[in-house]
Amino acid sequence: MPAVEGVVFDWAGTTVDFGSFAPTTIFVEAFKAAFDFELSLEEARGPMGLGKWDHIRTLGNDSTINGRWQAQFGRAMSDADVDAIYDTFMPLQIKKVVDHAELIPGTADTIAFLRDSQIKIGSCSGYPRPVMEVLCAKAAENGYSPDCVVASDDLSAGARPGPWMALQNVIELGIKNVAHCIKVDDSAPGIEEGRNAGMWTVALTLSGNESGLTLEQFLVASESEKRIARERALSRLEGAKPHYVIDTIADFPGVVDDINRRLNAGERP
């Protein structure tokens, strides 16, 4: 019977780092350190899911941020400026990513479910390889080691929202049918990546970048507060047209069961 063969998980906001705070806070610090430029945490979250150089370039192209940049420097942000911010960002991110490597609640149980189901576990990220090496080592200490890790700078073809990192997982994991693979992410570019690769896609609303909740806030939130955060996240994710929307990775095993049902009925992504 047709069944799910593999899952490709994002990292921050999906399996580790509830609320995706490691990259966002470091973007704020990098803009400040490189150019004494004030960037809000909410602004830093905007293009999440892209490769980090592209993320900075996209921030610089934002009309509001560009207006403040022009007022401060008398010119638009150049690619050289992006390089300077990226070069400031990288050592900060490598140093601090381990502080945000705790597993999101439900990750360990979901991974165990996938292992028991003989489903291969891949991953990819907007983080470049030097950051991923540090993060993977710390995540392994915390009990999470996927079968495959693809970083944003691994492939010459590029990163999200193109399909290449997701498809590299398919190659390395030896998955025979892309339609039997699921991409799980908390960002629109990550969902678009999965759709472009021909996979089922699952968007996470409450553990990731778009809700911006800390784990502590999530654990004490009322149902009304969760509903508001869920709706806010969905308004930013629904344009990517995910096949499924769930709160966190803890809800994922039920999605696998439903996709298996749909595959058995002859459906495809």
Side-chain angles (χ1 to χ4, degrees), residues 137-190:
K138 188 63 177 180
E141 292 179 13
N142 293 334
Y144 175 52
S145 296
D147 302 319
C148 177
V149 178
V150 180
S152 63
D153 58 348
D154 282 350
L155 306 176
S156 59
R160 299 165 179 161
W164 306 291
M165 290 196 296
L167 292 177
Q168 185 65 26
N169 274 272
V170 171
I171 293 169
E172 294 191 22
L173 293 173
I175 293 171
K176 297 179 181 178
N177 192 330
V178 176
H180 293 192
C181 194
I182 309 171
K183 177 68 202 302
V184 186
D185 210 295
D186 65 301
S187 73

CSV table of all heavy atoms in Angstrom, one decimal, residues 137-190:
chain,number,residue,atom,x,y,z
A,137,ALA,N,25.0,19.6,16.4
A,137,ALA,CA,25.7,18.9,17.5
A,137,ALA,C,25.0,19.1,18.8
A,137,ALA,O,24.8,18.2,19.6
A,137,ALA,CB,27.1,19.5,17.6
A,138,LYS,N,24.5,20.3,19.0
A,138,LYS,CA,23.7,20.6,20.2
A,138,LYS,C,22.4,19.9,20.2
A,138,LYS,O,21.9,19.3,21.3
A,138,LYS,CB,23.5,22.1,20.4
A,138,LYS,CG,22.9,22.5,21.8
A,138,LYS,CD,23.9,22.1,22.9
A,138,LYS,CE,23.3,22.5,24.2
A,138,LYS,NZ,24.2,22.2,25.4
A,139,ALA,N,21.7,19.8,19.1
A,139,ALA,CA,20.4,19.1,19.0
A,139,ALA,C,20.6,17.6,19.3
A,139,ALA,O,19.7,17.0,19.9
A,139,ALA,CB,19.8,19.4,17.6
A,140,ALA,N,21.7,17.1,18.8
A,140,ALA,CA,22.0,15.7,19.0
A,140,ALA,C,22.1,15.4,20.5
A,140,ALA,O,21.6,14.4,21.0
A,140,ALA,CB,23.2,15.3,18.3
A,141,GLU,N,22.8,16.3,21.2
A,141,GLU,CA,22.9,16.2,22.7
A,141,GLU,C,21.5,16.2,23.3
A,141,GLU,O,21.3,15.5,24.4
A,141,GLU,CB,23.7,17.3,23.3
A,141,GLU,CG,25.2,17.3,22.9
A,141,GLU,CD,25.9,18.5,23.5
A,141,GLU,OE1,25.4,19.2,24.4
A,141,GLU,OE2,27.1,18.7,23.1
A,142,ASN,N,20.6,16.9,22.7
A,142,ASN,CA,19.2,17.0,23.2
A,142,ASN,C,18.3,15.9,22.7
A,142,ASN,O,17.1,15.9,23.1
A,142,ASN,CB,18.6,18.4,22.9
A,142,ASN,CG,19.3,19.5,23.6
A,142,ASN,OD1,19.9,19.4,24.7
A,142,ASN,ND2,19.3,20.7,23.0
A,143,GLY,N,18.8,15.0,21.9
A,143,GLY,CA,18.1,13.9,21.5
A,143,GLY,C,17.5,13.9,20.1
A,143,GLY,O,16.7,13.0,19.7
A,144,TYR,N,17.9,14.8,19.2
A,144,TYR,CA,17.4,14.9,17.9
A,144,TYR,C,18.5,14.9,16.8
A,144,TYR,O,19.4,15.8,16.8
A,144,TYR,CB,16.6,16.2,17.7
A,144,TYR,CG,16.1,16.4,16.3
A,144,TYR,CD1,15.4,15.4,15.6
A,144,TYR,CD2,16.3,17.6,15.6
A,144,TYR,CE1,14.9,15.6,14.3
A,144,TYR,CE2,15.8,17.9,14.3
A,144,TYR,CZ,15.2,16.9,13.7
A,144,TYR,OH,14.7,17.1,12.4
A,145,SER,N,18.5,13.8,16.0
A,145,SER,CA,19.5,13.7,14.9
A,145,SER,C,18.8,13.2,13.7
A,145,SER,O,18.6,12.0,13.5
A,145,SER,CB,20.6,12.7,15.3
A,145,SER,OG,21.4,13.2,16.4
A,146,PRO,N,18.4,14.1,12.8
A,146,PRO,CA,17.8,13.6,11.5
A,146,PRO,C,18.8,12.8,10.7
A,146,PRO,O,20.0,12.9,10.8
A,146,PRO,CB,17.4,14.9,10.9
A,146,PRO,CG,18.3,15.9,11.4
A,146,PRO,CD,18.6,15.5,12.8
A,147,ASP,N,18.2,12.1,9.7
A,147,ASP,CA,19.0,11.3,8.8
A,147,ASP,C,19.8,12.1,7.8
A,147,ASP,O,20.8,11.7,7.2
A,147,ASP,CB,18.1,10.3,8.1
A,147,ASP,CG,17.4,9.4,9.1
A,147,ASP,OD1,18.0,8.9,10.1
A,147,ASP,OD2,16.2,9.1,8.8
A,148,CYS,N,19.3,13.3,7.5
A,148,CYS,CA,19.9,14.2,6.5
A,148,CYS,C,19.7,15.6,6.9
A,148,CYS,O,18.7,16.0,7.5
A,148,CYS,CB,19.2,13.9,5.2
A,148,CYS,SG,19.8,15.0,3.8
A,149,VAL,N,20.8,16.4,6.7
A,149,VAL,CA,20.7,17.8,7.0
A,149,VAL,C,21.3,18.6,5.8
A,149,VAL,O,22.4,18.4,5.3
A,149,VAL,CB,21.6,18.2,8.2
A,149,VAL,CG1,21.6,19.7,8.4
A,149,VAL,CG2,21.1,17.5,9.4
A,150,VAL,N,20.4,19.5,5.2
A,150,VAL,CA,20.9,20.3,4.1
A,150,VAL,C,20.8,21.8,4.5
A,150,VAL,O,19.8,22.2,5.0
A,150,VAL,CB,20.0,20.1,2.8
A,150,VAL,CG1,20.4,21.0,1.7
A,150,VAL,CG2,20.0,18.6,2.4
A,151,ALA,N,21.9,22.5,4.4
A,151,ALA,CA,22.0,23.9,4.7
A,151,ALA,C,21.7,24.8,3.5
A,151,ALA,O,21.8,24.4,2.4
A,151,ALA,CB,23.3,24.2,5.4
A,152,SER,N,21.5,26.1,3.8
A,152,SER,CA,21.1,27.0,2.8
A,152,SER,C,22.2,27.3,1.8
A,152,SER,O,21.9,27.7,0.6
A,152,SER,CB,20.6,28.3,3.4
A,152,SER,OG,21.6,29.0,4.1
A,153,ASP,N,23.4,27.1,2.2
A,153,ASP,CA,24.5,27.4,1.2
A,153,ASP,C,25.2,26.1,0.7
A,153,ASP,O,26.3,26.2,0.1
A,153,ASP,CB,25.6,28.2,1.9
A,153,ASP,CG,26.2,27.6,3.2
A,153,ASP,OD1,25.6,26.6,3.7
A,153,ASP,OD2,27.2,28.1,3.7
A,154,ASP,N,24.5,25.0,0.8
A,154,ASP,CA,25.1,23.7,0.4
A,154,ASP,C,25.0,23.5,-1.2
A,154,ASP,O,25.8,22.9,-1.8
A,154,ASP,CB,24.4,22.5,1.0
A,154,ASP,CG,24.8,22.3,2.4
A,154,ASP,OD1,25.8,22.9,2.9
A,154,ASP,OD2,24.2,21.4,3.1
A,155,LEU,N,24.0,24.2,-1.8
A,155,LEU,CA,23.7,23.9,-3.2
A,155,LEU,C,23.8,25.1,-4.0
A,155,LEU,O,23.4,26.2,-3.7
A,155,LEU,CB,22.2,23.4,-3.3
A,155,LEU,CG,21.9,22.1,-2.4
A,155,LEU,CD1,20.4,21.8,-2.6
A,155,LEU,CD2,22.7,21.0,-2.8
A,156,SER,N,24.5,24.9,-5.2
A,156,SER,CA,24.7,26.1,-6.1
A,156,SER,C,23.4,26.6,-6.7
A,156,SER,O,23.3,27.7,-7.1
A,156,SER,CB,25.7,25.7,-7.2
A,156,SER,OG,25.2,24.6,-7.9
A,157,ALA,N,22.4,25.7,-6.7
A,157,ALA,CA,21.1,26.1,-7.3
A,157,ALA,C,20.4,27.2,-6.5
A,157,ALA,O,19.7,28.0,-7.0
A,157,ALA,CB,20.2,24.9,-7.5
A,158,GLY,N,20.7,27.2,-5.2
A,158,GLY,CA,20.1,28.2,-4.3
A,158,GLY,C,19.3,27.6,-3.2
A,158,GLY,O,19.3,26.4,-2.9
A,159,ALA,N,18.5,28.4,-2.5
A,159,ALA,CA,17.7,28.0,-1.4
A,159,ALA,C,16.2,28.3,-1.6
A,159,ALA,O,15.8,28.5,-2.7
A,159,ALA,CB,18.3,28.6,-0.1
A,160,ARG,N,15.5,28.4,-0.5
A,160,ARG,CA,14.1,28.7,-0.6
A,160,ARG,C,13.7,30.0,-1.2
A,160,ARG,O,14.5,30.9,-1.2
A,160,ARG,CB,13.5,28.7,0.8
A,160,ARG,CG,13.7,27.4,1.6
A,160,ARG,CD,13.4,27.6,3.1
A,160,ARG,NE,13.5,26.3,3.8
A,160,ARG,CZ,13.7,26.3,5.1
A,160,ARG,NH1,13.8,27.4,5.8
A,160,ARG,NH2,13.8,25.2,5.7
A,161,PRO,N,12.6,30.1,-1.9
A,161,PRO,CA,11.5,29.1,-2.0
A,161,PRO,C,11.6,28.1,-3.1
A,161,PRO,O,10.7,27.3,-3.3
A,161,PRO,CB,10.3,30.0,-2.2
A,161,PRO,CG,10.8,31.1,-3.0
A,161,PRO,CD,12.2,31.4,-2.5
A,162,GLY,N,12.8,28.0,-3.7
A,162,GLY,CA,13.1,26.9,-4.7
A,162,GLY,C,13.0,25.6,-4.0
A,162,GLY,O,13.1,25.4,-2.8
A,163,PRO,N,12.9,24.5,-4.8
A,163,PRO,CA,12.7,23.2,-4.3
A,163,PRO,C,14.0,22.4,-3.9
A,163,PRO,O,13.9,21.3,-3.4
A,163,PRO,CB,12.0,22.4,-5.4
A,163,PRO,CG,12.6,23.1,-6.6
A,163,PRO,CD,12.8,24.5,-6.3
A,164,TRP,N,15.1,23.0,-4.1
A,164,TRP,CA,16.4,22.3,-4.2
A,164,TRP,C,16.8,21.6,-2.9
A,164,TRP,O,17.3,20.5,-2.9
A,164,TRP,CB,17.5,23.2,-4.8
A,164,TRP,CG,17.1,23.8,-6.1
A,164,TRP,CD1,16.9,23.2,-7.3
A,164,TRP,CD2,16.7,25.2,-6.3
A,164,TRP,NE1,16.5,24.1,-8.2
A,164,TRP,CE2,16.3,25.3,-7.6
A,164,TRP,CE3,16.6,26.3,-5.4
A,164,TRP,CZ2,15.9,26.5,-8.2
A,164,TRP,CZ3,16.2,27.5,-6.0
A,164,TRP,CH2,15.8,27.6,-7.3
A,165,MET,N,16.7,22.3,-1.8
A,165,MET,CA,17.1,21.7,-0.5
A,165,MET,C,16.2,20.5,-0.2
A,165,MET,O,16.7,19.5,0.3
A,165,MET,CB,17.1,22.7,0.6
A,165,MET,CG,18.2,23.8,0.5
A,165,MET,SD,18.4,24.6,2.1
A,165,MET,CE,16.8,25.5,2.3
A,166,ALA,N,14.9,20.7,-0.4
A,166,ALA,CA,14.0,19.6,-0.2
A,166,ALA,C,14.3,18.4,-1.1
A,166,ALA,O,14.3,17.2,-0.6
A,166,ALA,CB,12.5,20.0,-0.4
A,167,LEU,N,14.6,18.7,-2.3
A,167,LEU,CA,14.9,17.6,-3.3
A,167,LEU,C,16.2,16.9,-3.0
A,167,LEU,O,16.4,15.7,-3.2
A,167,LEU,CB,14.8,18.1,-4.7
A,167,LEU,CG,13.4,18.5,-5.2
A,167,LEU,CD1,13.5,19.1,-6.6
A,167,LEU,CD2,12.5,17.3,-5.2
A,168,GLN,N,17.2,17.7,-2.4
A,168,GLN,CA,18.5,17.1,-2.0
A,168,GLN,C,18.2,16.1,-0.9
A,168,GLN,O,18.9,15.0,-0.9
A,168,GLN,CB,19.4,18.2,-1.6
A,168,GLN,CG,20.8,17.6,-1.3
A,168,GLN,CD,21.6,17.1,-2.5
A,168,GLN,OE1,21.3,17.4,-3.6
A,168,GLN,NE2,22.5,16.1,-2.3
A,169,ASN,N,17.3,16.3,0.0
A,169,ASN,CA,16.9,15.4,1.0
A,169,ASN,C,16.4,14.1,0.3
A,169,ASN,O,16.7,13.0,0.8
A,169,ASN,CB,15.9,15.9,1.9
A,169,ASN,CG,16.4,16.7,3.1
A,169,ASN,OD1,16.7,16.2,4.1
A,169,ASN,ND2,16.6,18.0,2.9
A,170,VAL,N,15.5,14.2,-0.7
A,170,VAL,CA,15.0,13.1,-1.4
A,170,VAL,C,16.1,12.2,-2.0
A,170,VAL,O,16.1,11.0,-1.8
A,170,VAL,CB,14.0,13.6,-2.5
A,170,VAL,CG1,13.6,12.4,-3.4
A,170,VAL,CG2,12.8,14.2,-1.9
A,171,ILE,N,17.1,12.9,-2.5
A,171,ILE,CA,18.2,12.2,-3.1
A,171,ILE,C,19.0,11.4,-2.0
A,171,ILE,O,19.3,10.2,-2.2
A,171,ILE,CB,19.1,13.1,-3.9
A,171,ILE,CG1,18.4,13.7,-5.1
A,171,ILE,CG2,20.4,12.4,-4.3
A,171,ILE,CD1,19.1,14.8,-5.8
A,172,GLU,N,19.4,12.2,-1.0
A,172,GLU,CA,20.3,11.6,0.0
A,172,GLU,C,19.6,10.5,0.8
A,172,GLU,O,20.2,9.6,1.3
A,172,GLU,CB,20.8,12.7,0.9
A,172,GLU,CG,21.7,13.7,0.2
A,172,GLU,CD,22.5,14.6,1.2
A,172,GLU,OE1,22.6,14.3,2.4
A,172,GLU,OE2,22.9,15.7,0.7
A,173,LEU,N,18.3,10.7,1.0
A,173,LEU,CA,17.5,9.7,1.8
A,173,LEU,C,17.1,8.5,0.9
A,173,LEU,O,16.6,7.5,1.5
A,173,LEU,CB,16.3,10.3,2.4
A,173,LEU,CG,16.5,11.4,3.5
A,173,LEU,CD1,15.2,12.0,3.9
A,173,LEU,CD2,17.2,10.8,4.7
A,174,GLY,N,17.2,8.6,-0.4
A,174,GLY,CA,16.8,7.5,-1.3
A,174,GLY,C,15.3,7.3,-1.3
A,174,GLY,O,14.8,6.2,-1.5
A,175,ILE,N,14.6,8.4,-1.3
A,175,ILE,CA,13.1,8.3,-1.3
A,175,ILE,C,12.7,8.1,-2.8
A,175,ILE,O,13.2,8.8,-3.7
A,175,ILE,CB,12.5,9.6,-0.8
A,175,ILE,CG1,12.7,9.7,0.7
A,175,ILE,CG2,11.0,9.7,-1.1
A,175,ILE,CD1,12.4,11.0,1.4
A,176,LYS,N,11.9,7.1,-3.0
A,176,LYS,CA,11.5,6.7,-4.4
A,176,LYS,C,10.5,7.6,-5.1
A,176,LYS,O,10.4,7.7,-6.3
A,176,LYS,CB,11.1,5.3,-4.4
A,176,LYS,CG,12.2,4.3,-4.0
A,176,LYS,CD,11.7,2.9,-4.0
A,176,LYS,CE,12.8,1.9,-3.5
A,176,LYS,NZ,12.3,0.5,-3.5
A,177,ASN,N,9.6,8.2,-4.3
A,177,ASN,CA,8.5,9.0,-4.8
A,177,ASN,C,8.3,10.2,-4.0
A,177,ASN,O,8.0,10.2,-2.8
A,177,ASN,CB,7.2,8.1,-4.7
A,177,ASN,CG,6.1,8.7,-5.6
A,177,ASN,OD1,6.0,9.9,-5.7
A,177,ASN,ND2,5.2,7.9,-6.1
A,178,VAL,N,8.5,11.4,-4.7
A,178,VAL,CA,8.4,12.7,-4.0
A,178,VAL,C,7.0,12.9,-3.4
A,178,VAL,O,6.9,13.5,-2.4
A,178,VAL,CB,8.8,13.8,-4.9
A,178,VAL,CG1,8.6,15.2,-4.3
A,178,VAL,CG2,10.3,13.7,-5.4
A,179,ALA,N,6.0,12.3,-4.1
A,179,ALA,CA,4.7,12.5,-3.6
A,179,ALA,C,4.4,11.7,-2.3
A,179,ALA,O,3.3,11.9,-1.7
A,179,ALA,CB,3.7,12.0,-4.7
A,180,HIS,N,5.4,10.9,-1.9
A,180,HIS,CA,5.3,10.2,-0.6
A,180,HIS,C,6.1,10.9,0.5
A,180,HIS,O,6.5,10.3,1.5
A,180,HIS,CB,5.7,8.8,-0.8
A,180,HIS,CG,4.7,8.0,-1.6
A,180,HIS,ND1,4.8,6.6,-1.7
A,180,HIS,CD2,3.7,8.3,-2.5
A,180,HIS,CE1,3.9,6.2,-2.6
A,180,HIS,NE2,3.2,7.2,-3.0
A,181,CYS,N,6.4,12.2,0.2
A,181,CYS,CA,7.3,12.9,1.2
A,181,CYS,C,6.5,14.1,1.7
A,181,CYS,O,5.6,14.7,1.0
A,181,CYS,CB,8.6,13.3,0.5
A,181,CYS,SG,9.8,13.9,1.6
A,182,ILE,N,6.8,14.5,2.9
A,182,ILE,CA,6.1,15.7,3.5
A,182,ILE,C,7.1,16.7,3.9
A,182,ILE,O,8.2,16.4,4.5
A,182,ILE,CB,5.3,15.2,4.8
A,182,ILE,CG1,4.4,14.0,4.5
A,182,ILE,CG2,4.5,16.4,5.4
A,182,ILE,CD1,3.8,13.4,5.8
A,183,LYS,N,6.8,18.0,3.6
A,183,LYS,CA,7.7,19.1,4.1
A,183,LYS,C,6.9,19.8,5.2
A,183,LYS,O,5.8,20.2,5.1
A,183,LYS,CB,8.0,20.1,3.0
A,183,LYS,CG,8.8,21.3,3.4
A,183,LYS,CD,10.2,20.9,3.8
A,183,LYS,CE,10.8,21.9,4.7
A,183,LYS,NZ,10.9,23.3,4.2
A,184,VAL,N,7.6,20.0,6.4
A,184,VAL,CA,7.0,20.6,7.5
A,184,VAL,C,7.8,21.9,7.9
A,184,VAL,O,9.0,21.8,8.0
A,184,VAL,CB,7.1,19.7,8.8
A,184,VAL,CG1,6.3,20.3,9.9
A,184,VAL,CG2,6.5,18.3,8.4
A,185,ASP,N,7.1,23.0,8.0
A,185,ASP,CA,7.8,24.3,8.2
A,185,ASP,C,6.9,25.3,8.9
A,185,ASP,O,5.7,25.1,8.9
A,185,ASP,CB,8.2,24.8,6.8
A,185,ASP,CG,9.5,25.7,6.8
A,185,ASP,OD1,9.5,26.7,7.5
A,185,ASP,OD2,10.5,25.3,6.2
A,186,ASP,N,7.5,26.3,9.5
A,186,ASP,CA,6.8,27.4,10.1
A,186,ASP,C,6.8,28.7,9.3
A,186,ASP,O,6.3,29.7,9.8
A,186,ASP,CB,7.3,27.7,11.5
A,186,ASP,CG,8.7,28.2,11.5
A,186,ASP,OD1,9.6,27.5,10.9
A,186,ASP,OD2,9.0,29.3,12.0
A,187,SER,N,7.4,28.6,8.1
A,187,SER,CA,7.5,29.9,7.3
A,187,SER,C,6.9,29.6,5.9
A,187,SER,O,6.9,28.5,5.4
A,187,SER,CB,8.9,30.3,7.1
A,187,SER,OG,9.6,29.4,6.3
A,188,ALA,N,6.4,30.7,5.3
A,188,ALA,CA,5.8,30.6,3.9
A,188,ALA,C,6.9,30.2,2.9
A,188,ALA,O,6.5,29.3,2.1
A,188,ALA,CB,5.2,32.0,3.5
A,189,PRO,N,8.1,30.7,2.9
A,189,PRO,CA,9.1,30.2,1.9
A,189,PRO,C,9.4,28.7,2.1
A,189,PRO,O,9.6,28.0,1.1
A,189,PRO,CB,10.3,31.0,2.2
A,189,PRO,CG,9.8,32.3,2.8
A,189,PRO,CD,8.7,31.9,3.6
A,190,GLY,N,9.3,28.2,3.3
A,190,GLY,CA,9.5,26.8,3.5
A,190,GLY,C,8.4,25.9,3.0
A,190,GLY,O,8.6,24.8,2.5
